[in-house]
Amino acid sequence: MRGILLVNLGTPAAPTPQAVKRYLAEFLSDPRVVGLPRIVWLPILYGIVLRKRPAQSAEKYAQVWMPEGSPLAVYTRRQADALRAAMPDFRVEYAMRYGEPSIASALSRLGGGDITALPLYPQYSDSTTQSVADKLPPGVRMLRDFHDHPAYIAAAAAQVRRHWQRHGRGPILVLSFHGLPRRGGAAYEAQCLETGRLLGRELGLEEHEYRVTFQSRFGYAEWLQPYTEPTLVALAAAGKKRVDVFCPGFVADCLETLEEIGIAARRAFLAAGGADFYALPCLNDSPDWIAALAAIARGTG
């Protein structure tokens, strides 16, 4: 029986400074994530970042933590459970690149044989997808991306339409993707723009009715633009009273969607004169997404 390994980024085990510090130490020590020379970066990481950032991040995690745990962990587990039910002829496990369950432990549960790893990043980047590849043993195949897969685009469009059915259609849809440093980010940017174009077309939107932006900037280097929050502030300042924000690069809600967009970006939009801010749920464990995930895993359209 073939095996499917879903891999997501990872999350702290608890919304506490200690747990966040352990998670950030592993995450930010990965050369794929921070490409500075180790002799330069590690003293900054351990001498500055891990002394200040864990407490700040723990407060943010506490605002979005679910009764069952971290949203990213909860939804990734639900996705694996639903995919297992949808694909009874496959063994299905899930892992986190950083934190638990580890890739090694999930592969052990799969028991070897014909295994395909499916990183839950629609758009490819070295800092996410290739970092997963670094942890896979020889013989395990990996799907590189699914940014333009018809089933993924259809599932994302269905999620937006469900929102519109409940709340009406706003004048503009902001599609916010995770950012990367501009240097070296051209291929990733192209995939994000293509996802945005395909999603806009699937929804029947004109070019002026949606915008692709980038969030989650870290550090002082120039990142891919336009940045999400300044775009939202500019829209409010220009008289746009309502905005809908959807994050198609995240297939599960997490800190970046629930706190950065749902709380911080909302606050900025309203403070700039906006009135109605909607942060749409990610794909999570919606039936459309589970069906799409099965199609992607099977290599079908």
Side-chain angles (χ1 to χ4, degrees), residues 199-248:
L199 184 52
R201 186 179 70 181
E202 184 78 10
L203 291 167
L205 298 177
E206 300 291 337
E207 288 189 8
H208 69 276
E209 293 179 307
Y210 72 93
R211 297 191 185 180
V212 171
T213 63
F214 297 91
Q215 63 181 89
S216 308
R217 180 183 175 190
F218 175 75
Y220 299 100
E222 181 183 3
W223 280 41
L224 296 174
Q225 296 186 35
Y227 300 136
T228 298
E229 188 170 306
T231 296
L232 294 169
V233 169
L235 287 171
K240 297 290 186 183
K241 293 300 182 181
R242 170 176 169 167
V243 68
D244 299 337
V245 185
F246 183 52
C247 300

Side-chain angles (χ1 to χ4, degrees), residues 4-290:
I4 297 293
L5 175 63
L6 303 179
V7 185
N8 218 323
L9 186 75
T11 177
T16 63
Q18 296 83 1
V20 173
K21 184 176 182 178
R22 286 194 298 272
Y23 168 72
L24 289 178
E26 182 182 6
F27 174 51
L28 296 176
S29 294
D30 186 348
R32 296 282 187 190
V33 175
V34 180
L36 293 173
R38 301 294 89 186
I39 195 172
V40 174
W41 171 239
L42 292 181
I44 297 173
L45 174 62
Y46 285 92
I48 301 175
V49 176
L50 292 180
R51 290 187 177 183
K52 296 181 178 180
R53 193 167 176 184
Q56 298 168 349
S57 295
E59 292 180 3
K60 296 178 180 179
Y61 275 107
Q63 294 179 72
V64 302
W65 210 259
M66 300 170 68
E68 308 100 304
S70 162
L72 183 71
V74 170
Y75 288 119
T76 303
R77 182 171 62 250
R78 290 180 185 176
Q79 288 170 357
D81 290 343
L83 188 63
R84 195 176 294 115
M87 301 177 68
D89 52 330
F90 281 70
R91 296 164 290 148
V92 177
E93 292 290 343
Y94 77 96
M96 299 294 178
R97 172 60 182 87
Y98 313 101
E100 298 296 335
S102 69
I103 291 175
S105 67
L107 287 171
S108 177
R109 288 192 298 275
L110 283 171
D114 187 357
I115 297 173
T116 299
L118 203 172
L120 292 170
Y121 315 123
Q123 297 76 30
Y124 173 90
S125 78
D126 284 347
S127 58
T128 54
T129 322
Q130 190 57 40
S131 181
V132 172
D134 292 342
K135 291 293 185 178
L136 298 176
V140 175
R141 294 186 304 275
M142 185 186 78
L143 295 178
R144 180 181 171 92
D145 67 81
F146 50 91
H147 76 280
D148 58 353
H149 195 287
Y152 158 64
I153 297 297
Q159 192 78 337
V160 175
R161 289 194 191 98
R162 273 190 291 272
H163 168 74
W164 285 346
Q165 288 168 359
R166 296 188 187 106
H167 304 286
R169 176 170 158 177
I172 188 163
L173 176 66
V174 173
L175 302 174
S176 182
F177 293 81
H178 199 289
L180 284 180
R182 178 163 293 281
R183 183 178 180 181
Y188 171 78
E189 179 184 24
Q191 289 196 350
C192 293
L193 293 174
E194 179 65 1
T195 296
R197 185 189 71 80
L198 292 171
L199 184 52
R201 186 179 70 181
E202 184 78 10
L203 291 167
L205 298 177
E206 300 291 337
E207 288 189 8
H208 69 276
E209 293 179 307
Y210 72 93
R211 297 191 185 180
V212 171
T213 63
F214 297 91
Q215 63 181 89
S216 308
R217 180 183 175 190
F218 175 75
Y220 299 100
E222 181 183 3
W223 280 41
L224 296 174
Q225 296 186 35
Y227 300 136
T228 298
E229 188 170 306
T231 296
L232 294 169
V233 169
L235 287 171
K240 297 290 186 183
K241 293 300 182 181
R242 170 176 169 167
V243 68
D244 299 337
V245 185
F246 183 52
C247 300
F250 300 85
V251 301
D253 271 311
C254 56
L255 186 71
E256 286 80 3
T257 64
L258 297 172
E259 193 282 329
E260 185 180 356
I261 299 298
I263 296 176
R266 178 194 303 272
R267 184 186 306 121
F269 178 75
L270 298 180
D276 297 307
F277 182 98
Y278 290 96
L280 280 64
C282 289
L283 293 168
N284 295 329
D285 56 344
S286 66
D288 298 282
W289 170 233
I290 300 306

